[in-house]
Amino acid sequence: MATRYWIVSLPVQSPGGTSSSVWSRLQDSISRHSFDTPLYRFNVPDLRVGTLDSLLALSDDLVKSNAFVEGVSHKIRRQIEDLERAGGVESGALTVDGVPVDTYLTRFVWDEGKYPTMSPLKEIIGSIQSQVAKIEDDMKVRAAEYNNVRSQLSAINRKQSGSLAVRDLSNLVKPEDMITSEHLVTLLAIVPKYSQKDWTSSYESLDTFVVPRSSNKLYEDNEYALYTVTLFAKVVDNFKVRAREKGFQVRDFEYSPEAQENRKQEMEKLLQDQEAMRSSLLQWCYASYSEVFSSWMHFCAVRIFVESILRYGLPPSFLSAVLAPSTKSEKKVRSILEDLCGNVHSIYWKSEDDVNVAGLGGESEVHPYVSFTINIV
């Protein structure tokens, strides 16, 4: 599947010319000079022209509006990729109205029920913009809810997997490690990894009321080691101050099986919520991508129609097509398209006053035919 397409229109030369004759000439030229370039007709219906002033006014907004619709399409695609990656599933082929994206583009058919061709062009464009804007707003809300749950899980994971200086210690401590009585209490000390000898040789002397040989190592990571130490409750504050002076951190900790079970249940619920929201958001994104891409192609049809009239004049008489040239074939295909325009428009499209119209879509190159690029990824 190609990921980069050109949508172009070529003028039908008078007298006696037809879009079918231009199509035949284009097919023949492509097959002889760039046979590896896929070529398809792009079916633009007979839309309501309106006035020249209305077309000019609409043309001014087309590039900006296209950037918005295209941008939302890419945002949804990226969201889909992120959700699939988070779920550990292989990326599937996206579809539009039940067919692959490239098939929808290259066999585009105008949806008369959704966008009546007799509606003013401005009304069609406004409808597309409103629909896409609503989808973008919905995505922001849904993604924010999903990301909020992910953030909560990330915070819990950091507490469980971070360094001993900040992580949750409840899953590292067993009931038998702790002594709590009327007079005695067990503290948890975080000792720098390379200061463990200093700790074992000095903790008993940090206060008179430390129980001798009461310190045991429970865990060690890349930076710190976790030790217990038992002492009389009345000297806890003094012991903490002395330990801090020597570079040891005493963590506040109260062993609670109930709290540990509650944290476990909270984690499980968040994991379930995250997966349910991921699955729901993914399904919504699949459907919304189809909607936005379909709207984008209808928008492109309006662009081709408007700019072709402004370029070639009335009545509408042009051929629109979709091509997917490889990078090495682009120059050759451009030459073929320019040759099919003849010399009728050569002075017009190169004139300084009309550069902005000729370069539809904000493309840096100016051509004697309407052309803009569609990137579907």
Side-chain angles (χ1 to χ4, degrees):
M1 180 186 76
T3 59
R4 185 170 180 269
Y5 294 86
W6 294 349
I7 298 183
V8 304
S9 80
L10 298 169
V12 173
Q13 307 284 343
S14 296
T18 65
S19 59
S20 295
S21 63
V22 177
W23 173 246
S24 296
R25 292 171 59 202
L26 177 58
Q27 283 183 307
D28 181 62
S29 295
I30 291 293
S31 64
R32 285 190 292 111
H33 302 294
S34 186
F35 63 89
D36 61 340
T37 297
L39 172 65
Y40 313 89
R41 291 194 74 155
F42 188 73
N43 297 307
V44 178
D46 293 327
L47 299 171
R48 184 174 170 181
V49 175
T51 65
L52 179 61
D53 286 344
S54 68
L55 292 180
L56 286 170
L58 192 60
S59 176
D60 290 340
D61 295 330
L62 284 174
V63 175
K64 182 173 67 174
S65 298
N66 178 76
F68 166 68
V69 178
E70 180 180 7
V72 174
S73 168
H74 293 330
K75 283 180 187 177
I76 298 175
R77 178 183 277 273
R78 287 194 295 270
Q79 182 69 73
I80 288 172
E81 291 171 351
D82 289 345
L83 292 168
E84 289 176 335
R85 194 159 45 244
V89 298
E90 188 175 342
S91 297
L94 294 179
T95 62
V96 181
D97 289 354
V99 300
V101 177
D102 57 328
T103 300
Y104 184 87
L105 167 59
T106 56
R107 291 168 176 78
F108 172 74
V109 177
W110 184 272
D111 187 341
E112 175 69 21
K114 200 170 190 179
Y115 305 107
T117 52
M118 289 309 296
S119 298
L121 295 178
K122 185 176 181 180
E123 185 177 304
I124 293 174
I125 293 299
S127 175
I128 291 173
Q129 290 173 322
S130 297
Q131 180 188 22
V132 174
K134 183 180 184 304
I135 289 175
E136 183 187 38
D137 290 341
D138 286 350
M139 185 176 72
K140 288 178 180 177
V141 173
R142 292 169 183 266
E145 292 173 349
Y146 170 67
N147 288 329
N148 181 49
V149 173
R150 291 185 68 188
S151 296
Q152 292 180 55
L153 278 169
S154 295
I156 293 174
N157 286 329
R158 282 196 298 273
K159 286 183 178 180
Q160 292 184 341
S161 59
S163 77
L164 287 169
V166 296
R167 69 176 290 179
D168 178 16
L169 302 177
S170 58
N171 61 337
L172 303 178
V173 181
K174 299 175 182 177
E176 57 267 27
D177 295 324
M178 307 299 291
I179 296 175
T180 303
S181 67
E182 182 180 354
H183 300 292
L184 294 176
V185 63
T186 298
L187 302 180
L188 296 179
I190 309 301
V191 178
K193 187 173 182 178
Y194 299 106
S195 299
Q196 294 182 75
K197 287 185 179 180
D198 187 20
W199 165 261
T200 54
S201 64
S202 65
Y203 76 89
E204 294 179 5
S205 63
L206 293 180
D207 195 277
T208 308
F209 295 95
V210 175
V211 177
R213 295 182 298 282
S214 64
S215 182
N216 295 302
K217 183 163 76 170
L218 304 183
Y219 184 80
E220 181 179 314
D221 63 18
N222 292 331
E223 300 177 77
Y224 301 98
L226 174 64
Y227 282 86
T228 60
V229 59
T230 302
L231 60 156
F232 280 78
K234 65 180 180 179
V235 298
V236 165
D237 291 340
N238 185 57
F239 182 87
K240 287 182 177 180
V241 172
R242 295 279 184 83
R244 187 166 57 247
E245 289 173 350
K246 290 185 67 65
F248 310 133
Q249 174 191 356
V250 176
R251 290 278 305 273
D252 292 327
F253 180 82
E254 181 178 350
Y255 186 81
S256 170
E258 295 80 10
Q260 194 167 356
E261 181 61 26
N262 288 339
R263 281 191 289 269
K264 180 181 178 182
Q265 291 178 0
E266 179 189 9
M267 182 73 166
E268 290 175 351
K269 184 179 184 303
L270 282 172
L271 285 169
Q272 292 172 357
D273 289 347
Q274 176 185 241
E275 180 53 29
M277 294 177 74
R278 188 197 69 82
S279 179
S280 174
L281 179 56
L282 183 58
Q283 293 305 313
W284 180 89
C285 284
Y286 284 145
S288 296
Y289 182 83
S290 176
E291 283 290 322
V292 171
F293 193 89
S294 174
S295 298
W296 186 20
M297 291 306 101
H298 284 79
F299 183 92
C300 288
V302 175
R303 282 181 75 186
I304 279 287
F305 185 78
V306 171
E307 297 299 338
S308 294
I309 291 175
L310 291 176
R311 180 69 65 89
Y312 313 132
L314 288 169
S317 185
F318 59 89
L319 165 77
S320 51
V322 175
L323 304 96
S326 62
T327 302
K328 66 178 182 180
S329 300
E330 287 186 4
K331 188 174 181 180
K332 172 56 70 176
V333 175
R334 289 290 185 199
S335 177
I336 291 171
L337 293 171
E338 185 171 333
D339 288 343
L340 289 173
C341 288
N343 297 319
V344 176
H345 304 277
S346 60
I347 297 176
Y348 171 73
W349 71 268
K350 290 181 180 178
S351 67
E352 184 177 347
D353 293 339
D354 195 63
V355 163
N356 290 332
V357 174
L360 172 65
E363 296 184 1
S364 58
E365 293 184 72
V366 181
H367 311 289
Y369 50 87
V370 175
S371 172
F372 54 88
T373 301
I374 296 292
N375 293 299
I376 63 175
V377 295

